[in-house]
Amino acid sequence: MCCGEIRAFIRCKPRSTPTRDYPRFLAAIEDMPEVAECHHIAGADSFILKAQLASNAHLERLLQRLSAFGRTQTDIVLSSPLVQSAFVDVKDDEAKK
């Protein structure tokens, strides 16, 4: 992960079919150190990225690079009242009841 004054979640929808654009998109974001996480999602978009950026200008440059693949929509984190890093296994939790 890089820098970190600004945290953003960026939803991405590549322009064309998964078999054509997804591999190029995934290869490109692997070379973007500001992208901390990438999740393939169901819904209107295809991916959601978590990014750590130094400034608004840095975010703008990242969005320009991502827009080469298709549409993006960005949410900037204002604060994080709850951050949990531990994974909770729902099956184990349900079995205890």
Side-chain angles (χ1 to χ4, degrees), residues 68-88:
F69 296 96
R71 182 183 56 76
T72 64
Q73 185 172 346
T74 304
D75 296 305
I76 295 175
V77 175
L78 298 176
S79 68
S80 299
L82 176 65
V83 177
Q84 294 183 350
S85 59
F87 175 76
V88 177

Side-chain angles (χ1 to χ4, degrees), residues 20-57:
R20 182 172 157 220
D21 274 350
Y22 285 18
R24 286 186 330 108
F25 174 78
L26 294 172
I29 64 169
E30 284 182 11
D31 290 332
M32 298 177 185
E34 54 273 85
V35 176
E37 297 176 15
C38 173
H39 303 276
H40 189 213
I41 59 174
D45 298 310
S46 300
F47 296 95
I48 187 165
L49 311 177
K50 179 181 176 184
Q52 297 275 137
L53 306 123
S55 64
N56 284 334

